[in-house]
Amino acid sequence: MMTPTARRWLGALSAIYLLITTNTLQAQECDEGDDPSPVVTLATSEGDITLCLFHRKAPITVENFLKYVESGHYEGSIFHRVINGFMIQAGGFDERYEPLPSDSPIVNEAKKSKLHNVRGTIAMARTDDPDSATDQFFINHRNNLRLDWAPGKAGYAVFGKVKDKLSMSTVDFIATAPIKNRGGAFTDSPTKPVVINKVTWVNKP
């Protein structure tokens, strides 16, 4: 049987491992080398969120997201699901809470990429079907490693992260928005719509 001291040490070592893994992952993915990560800014009604996208680790998912960016699909969409201490979700509905038309679903890259759902990462939302993601995405408000791929578990595909502290402060602010239950898919919907007004591909080739 493990002693309390041993359990504390194990917990501390696990936290250190997660911190090292997360920092290494983020440092590797958001550099400005010969093949820089695509950078996209969401100009929301509550402030800007700048994202860098992991196009080398999740090429299908990033291409899909950028396709919606370029078409203007996300402009006028809302964060329709906001759960403080979990995530904020957007991309699929307009201000009237009507669904936006989406393209065909994409393959889930969570198993291939092995990217972690840590605080500040952006991932694809989907149904129970692992390969059902289309236009909806969410930004993790905390470390949500239970959403990762694991043997026997499809996971949710991470494809980027919030690029800077100012952007993360916008995510934090949105996460604390007062919410109401509008019924159906909108059980955790902000009382005042949080709108994505404009989306800019900052470093488009």
Side-chain angles (χ1 to χ4, degrees):
M1 182 178 293
M2 187 177 294
T3 66
T5 300
R7 281 197 295 271
R8 286 197 297 271
W9 273 109
L10 181 60
L13 289 172
S14 297
I16 292 170
Y17 172 77
L18 176 60
L19 179 63
I20 292 172
T21 301
T22 301
N23 286 343
T24 301
L25 170 66
Q26 294 180 346
Q28 289 174 342
E29 291 298 336
C30 284
D31 58 16
E32 299 296 331
D34 293 335
D35 186 20
S37 301
V39 175
V40 170
T41 296
L42 311 179
T44 83
S45 56
E46 305 300 335
D48 291 355
I49 303 172
T50 297
L51 307 162
C52 64
L53 308 180
F54 302 161
H55 66 306
R56 289 179 290 275
K57 287 281 190 177
I60 295 172
T61 313
V62 169
E63 181 181 6
N64 176 72
F65 182 76
L66 290 175
K67 174 187 66 178
Y68 284 113
V69 167
E70 288 206 277
S71 71
H73 175 89
Y74 292 129
E75 297 182 2
S77 66
I78 59 170
F79 282 90
H80 67 277
R81 187 175 178 224
V82 169
I83 303 177
N84 191 13
F86 180 36
M87 57 92 227
I88 60 174
Q89 184 172 333
F93 299 91
D94 63 21
E95 290 187 67
R96 298 168 298 172
Y97 293 88
E98 293 292 331
L100 297 169
S102 61
D103 294 331
S104 299
I106 60 173
V107 66
N108 187 341
E109 293 187 285
K111 179 178 180 180
K112 176 185 175 182
S113 69
K114 303 293 194 300
L115 295 170
H116 298 295
N117 282 273
V118 295
R119 173 175 161 81
T121 53
I122 180 173
M124 293 304 297
R126 58 172 177 79
T127 66
D128 291 338
D129 178 355
D131 299 323
S132 61
T134 55
D135 54 353
Q136 292 190 43
F137 60 87
F138 61 91
I139 300 173
N140 286 293
H141 191 223
R142 69 174 182 190
N143 292 346
N144 290 312
L145 299 186
R146 64 187 178 83
L147 302 181
D148 289 356
W149 173 87
K153 188 173 68 171
Y156 290 78
V158 169
F159 64 98
K161 73 160 193 170
V162 175
K163 194 173 188 293
D164 51 61
K165 291 181 179 179
L166 185 59
S167 295
M168 197 62 210
S169 69
T170 300
V171 173
D172 289 334
F173 187 73
I174 293 172
T176 60
I179 59 172
K180 65 182 292 185
N181 185 345
R182 300 177 189 271
F186 311 113
T187 56
D188 300 282
S189 176
T191 55
K192 175 187 173 184
V194 179
V195 184
I196 298 175
N197 294 315
K198 184 174 176 143
V199 184
T200 305
W201 185 350
V202 176
N203 61 344
K204 184 175 178 179

